[in-house]
């Protein structure tokens, strides 16, 4: 799972007229057959899970070898053989790590030749070991084969003036990746563009079997209304200079993962609701637990602003930069409710881990474990484990951790 920070950003286009035309065309092209949605109500009472977590190895320590002095770990994943795959964005290198924690192979590296990376942003790993890297600078996807050799590059569609890259995850059983482009945190633009938030989060699949990727929409996840499209043109031009347009604080995000059969599990509301969507059918199943969101009160807003201001004072910002950051925190708008779900991940055997909100508004609590067909397996108590940054075969999990100096390492554990 990627470590890119979540910023709900943004479709970039030349005008509102173009936006409306594009959305209308997209709706016509991506319409899927109407399918009856199965709704499954899961029990309210938690059933405690008491697993054993075994640490296998860790890479990235200062005392380690030269190759594991990572600069910016953005993505980690496992292949079907249990090898850990680490993408270091700073070095533009991919490291294949064996089950003993030793380096097996390096891929990529900066450059313009075959298999070399321009500005790669994130990575996905197929179960058979193939590696996909999305590259902003070269506007394409680099594909490395299961033999670790460079296979080919697939171009990204669309105008050369705009490229968006966010989280990508492999879709099992296909040469395809899944993403939610509105969560893109890396955008390359050329020229002046208006920045508009779309009205929904599109869960998309990019098929990489040809020379140019082909995209279809698996489902449309909910996005809170923003009112951005109603702003005067002058404010639209101002927004063009600052593409990081944010929803109100504590707004629900889209948390998602890909199941072994290629379907997608996602949560997009303030309630405990997980939707299962299939390509060509849309949402086919909805899982619910009866936990309700907490209203955002004045006390919660004050406490959250104070917490963020304290964190700001711990940074190295100074002068106008510090004043602007403080003003953004003090003037930030807040949503009406605190969402129940704060994270979601999918294991290789099809278990969906759902992270519930903890006692504090922005803290993690219990992790529920359910299946895509609607069975509740139990819950890990708060503090038992965090949500892994990657799941692997046979209970493998990878966590990206940072020490007090900000040095990142990857810890691999197995859950029994």
């Amino acid at each position: 799972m990627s470590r890119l920070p979540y910023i709900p950003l943004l479709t970039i286009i030349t005008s509102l007229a173009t936006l409306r035309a594009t959305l209308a065309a997209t709706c016509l092209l991506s319409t899927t057959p109407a399918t009856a949605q199965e709704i499954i109500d899961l029990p309210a009472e938690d059933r405690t899970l008491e697993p054993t977590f075994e640490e296998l190895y860790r890479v990235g320590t200062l005392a380690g070898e030269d190759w594991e002095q990572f600069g910016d770990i953005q993505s980690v994943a496992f292949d079907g053989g249990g090898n850990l795959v680490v993408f270091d964005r700073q070095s533009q290198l991919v490291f294949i790590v064996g089950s003993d924690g030793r380096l097996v192979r390096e891929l990529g590296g900066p450059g313009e030749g075959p298999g070399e990376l321009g500005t790669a942003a994130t990575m996905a790993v197929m179960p058979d070991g193939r590696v996909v890297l999305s590259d902003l600078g070269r506007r394409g996807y680099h594909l490395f084969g299961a033999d670790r050799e460079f296979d080919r590059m697939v171009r990204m569609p669309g105008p050369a003036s705009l490229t968006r890259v966010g989280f990508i995850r492999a879709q099992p059983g296909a040469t395809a990746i899944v993403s939610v482009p509105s969560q893109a945190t890396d955008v390359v633009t050329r020229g002046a563009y208006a920045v508009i938030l779309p009205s929904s989060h599109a869960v998309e699949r990019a098929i990489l079997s040809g020379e140019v990727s082909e995209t279809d929409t698996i489902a449309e996840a909910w996005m809170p209304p923003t009112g951005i499209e109603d702003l005067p043109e002058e404010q639209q031009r101002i927004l063009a200079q600052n593409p990081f347009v944010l929803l109100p604080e504590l707004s629900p995000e889209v948390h998602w993962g890909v199941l072994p059969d290629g379907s997608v599990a996602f949560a997009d509301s303030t309630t405990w609701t997980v939707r299962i969507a299939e390509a060509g059918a849309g949402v086919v199943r909805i899982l619910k637990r009866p936990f309700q969101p907490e209203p955002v009160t004045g006390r919660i807003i004050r406490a959250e602003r104070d917490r963020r201001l304290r964190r700001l004072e711990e940074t190295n910002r100074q002068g106008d930069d510090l004043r602007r950051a403080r003003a953004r925190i003090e003037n930030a708008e807040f949503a009406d409710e605190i969402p129940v779900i704060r994270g979601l991940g999918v294991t290789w055997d099809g278990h969906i881990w759902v992270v519930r909100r903890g006692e504090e508004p922005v803290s993690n609590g219990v992790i529920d474990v359910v299946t895509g067909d609607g069975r509740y397996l139990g819950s890990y108590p708060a503090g038992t484990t965090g949500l892994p940054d990657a799941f692997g075969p046979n209970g493998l999990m990878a966590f990206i951790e940072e020490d007090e100096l900000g040095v990142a390492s990857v810890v691999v554990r197995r859950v029994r």
Side-chain angles (χ1 to χ4, degrees):
M1 304 170 71
S2 174
R3 293 286 290 181
L4 296 173
Y6 177 86
I7 303 177
L9 183 129
L10 340 216
T11 300
I12 302 183
I13 55 169
T14 54
S15 67
L16 281 173
T18 305
L19 172 66
R20 295 191 179 99
T22 303
L23 289 178
T26 301
C27 290
L28 290 174
L29 291 173
S30 63
T31 301
T32 56
T35 303
Q37 296 178 351
E38 179 186 15
I39 299 177
I40 300 177
D41 292 315
L42 301 177
E45 184 177 353
D46 287 344
R47 180 189 308 128
T48 299
L49 294 175
E50 298 180 353
T52 300
F53 295 95
E54 174 190 7
E55 182 170 323
L56 302 180
Y57 63 88
R58 63 176 61 213
V59 295
T61 62
L62 288 175
E65 306 206 11
D66 289 344
W67 66 267
E68 56 182 311
Q69 307 305 310
F70 303 124
D72 182 12
I73 302 174
Q74 285 289 359
S75 302
V76 293
F78 289 96
D79 64 19
N83 297 302
L84 174 69
V85 187
V86 180
F87 171 51
D88 184 350
R89 182 169 176 176
Q90 180 171 303
S91 66
Q92 293 286 286
L93 285 169
V94 175
F95 301 91
I96 312 295
V97 182
S99 58
D100 57 358
R102 296 181 180 274
L103 180 65
V104 175
R105 181 76 180 270
E106 292 183 8
L107 308 177
E112 298 181 357
E116 295 177 333
L117 312 179
T119 315
T122 188
M123 173 192 74
V125 178
M126 307 286 186
D128 61 7
R130 288 177 293 166
V131 175
V132 180
L133 289 143
S134 59
D135 193 328
L136 278 166
R138 301 183 66 178
R139 296 197 66 255
Y141 299 100
H142 302 273
L143 273 67
F144 292 84
D147 59 359
R148 316 301 187 194
E149 298 295 332
F150 175 69
D151 181 11
R152 58 196 173 89
M153 186 171 180
V154 179
R155 298 196 310 274
M156 294 177 178
S161 57
L162 167 62
T163 304
R164 293 178 299 159
V165 173
F167 302 100
I168 60 173
R169 290 164 188 154
Q171 185 182 43
T175 304
I177 56 173
V178 178
S179 66
V180 181
S182 58
Q183 292 180 331
T185 56
D186 290 81
V187 179
V188 170
T189 61
R190 299 176 180 88
Y193 291 85
V195 179
I196 309 297
L197 280 170
S199 58
S200 66
H201 292 291
V203 181
E204 294 183 353
R205 175 179 62 169
I207 302 171
L208 307 179
S209 55
E211 295 183 357
V212 180
S213 63
E214 299 180 7
T215 302
D216 60 8
T217 299
I218 298 175
E220 296 282 353
W222 180 72
M223 175 184 284
T226 63
I228 297 294
E229 65 276 7
D230 298 326
L231 292 176
E233 290 186 6
E234 177 62 27
Q235 293 189 42
Q236 296 285 339
R237 286 193 290 270
I238 293 174
L239 289 175
Q241 303 173 22
N242 178 15
F244 296 96
V245 182
L246 301 179
L247 292 166
E249 303 294 336
L250 304 182
S251 292
E253 303 174 2
V254 177
H255 306 286
W256 60 279
V258 183
L259 289 156
D261 64 359
S263 60
V264 177
F266 68 92
D268 61 352
S269 71
T270 59
T271 62
W272 199 110
T273 303
V274 174
R275 306 178 196 277
I276 310 298
E278 299 175 355
V283 175
V284 297
R285 188 173 303 109
I286 300 175
L287 315 180
K288 292 177 173 288
R289 292 198 75 190
F291 302 122
Q292 298 303 314
E294 179 180 351
V296 175
T297 63
R299 180 189 63 80
I300 289 175
I301 293 174
R302 289 191 297 271
E304 182 59 16
R305 282 182 175 150
D306 289 344
R307 185 187 69 84
R308 298 187 183 197
L309 288 170
R310 287 194 300 272
R311 291 184 60 184
L312 177 63
E313 296 300 328
E314 297 172 357
T315 66
N316 295 323
R317 295 190 180 187
Q318 298 178 355
D320 289 342
D321 186 34
L322 177 62
R323 285 190 288 272
R324 284 193 294 268
R326 184 182 292 118
R328 282 195 295 270
I329 294 173
E330 292 172 344
N331 298 322
E333 295 185 0
F334 283 77
D336 296 330
E337 296 177 327
I338 302 173
V340 174
I341 294 178
R342 284 183 49 81
L344 184 150
V346 176
T347 70
W348 279 48
D349 54 3
H351 294 172
I352 304 170
W353 287 30
V354 182
V355 183
R356 282 160 38 194
R357 183 180 65 83
E359 295 182 1
E360 300 298 324
V362 291
S363 65
N364 294 336
V366 169
I367 297 180
D368 299 326
V369 182
V370 300
T371 64
D373 59 3
R375 290 176 292 128
Y376 169 63
L377 303 181
S379 301
Y380 297 139
T384 302
T385 180
L387 184 67
D389 293 285
F391 289 97
N394 302 316
L396 289 174
M397 304 182 300
F399 299 82
I400 301 175
E401 297 183 354
E402 290 187 357
D403 62 18
E404 62 276 3
L405 299 177
V407 177
S409 62
V410 182
V411 182
V412 174
R413 300 186 178 98
R414 190 189 305 277
V415 60
R416 300 187 184 278

